[in-house]
Amino acid sequence: VQLVESGGGLVQAGGSLRLSCAASGFTFSSYTMSWYRQAPGKERELVARIRSSGGSTNYADSVKGRFTISRDNAKNTVYLQMNSLKPEDTAVYYCNAKYGPMNDYDYWGQGTQVTVSS
């Protein structure tokens, strides 16, 4: 199983980035995919989630209206479009895949750094 994030980097406040997470080694279309982030000294938090069908999404209040999660099941890839970035969005962003009634299958990527300068 592999989850490989890309697209992170340094951007000025108000700018945009698009994160990608390429998945392999499992049945991607069956999994709920999420993006989490962890800032220095803080706990990891859920940013956005998309169900297997792609028809249901959830967002943290802090990113609603600015971030959009999407998935392409044909490409085994999940995306996070981040607009109007703020310095407080600075964190390591992680891709996550979950499946099962008790999230029996739970996989993580290695993370990608997003830094927003003021």
Side-chain angles (χ1 to χ4, degrees), residues 2 30-31 34 36 39 55-56 78 80 84 99 101 108-109 113-116:
Q2 274 197 315
S30 297
Y31 280 65
S34 303
Y36 286 75
S56 175
V78 62
L80 185 68
S84 302
Y99 176 79
W108 292 89
Q113 176 71 46
V114 171
T115 302
V116 184

Side-chain angles (χ1 to χ4, degrees), residues 10-14 85-87 90 115-118:
L10 174 64
V11 64
Q12 288 189 333
L85 282 161
K86 304 175 181 180
T90 295
T115 302
V116 184
S117 63
S118 58

Side-chain angles (χ1 to χ4, degrees), residues 86-99:
K86 304 175 181 180
E88 51 264 43
D89 294 318
T90 295
V92 177
Y93 284 70
Y94 297 91
C95 178
N96 174 262
K98 286 187 175 63
Y99 176 79

Side-chain angles (χ1 to χ4, degrees), residues 24-38:
S24 61
F26 61 99
T27 307
F28 177 82
S29 60
S30 297
Y31 280 65
T32 292
M33 299 301 298
S34 303
W35 286 96
Y36 286 75
R37 68 186 180 187
Q38 187 166 20

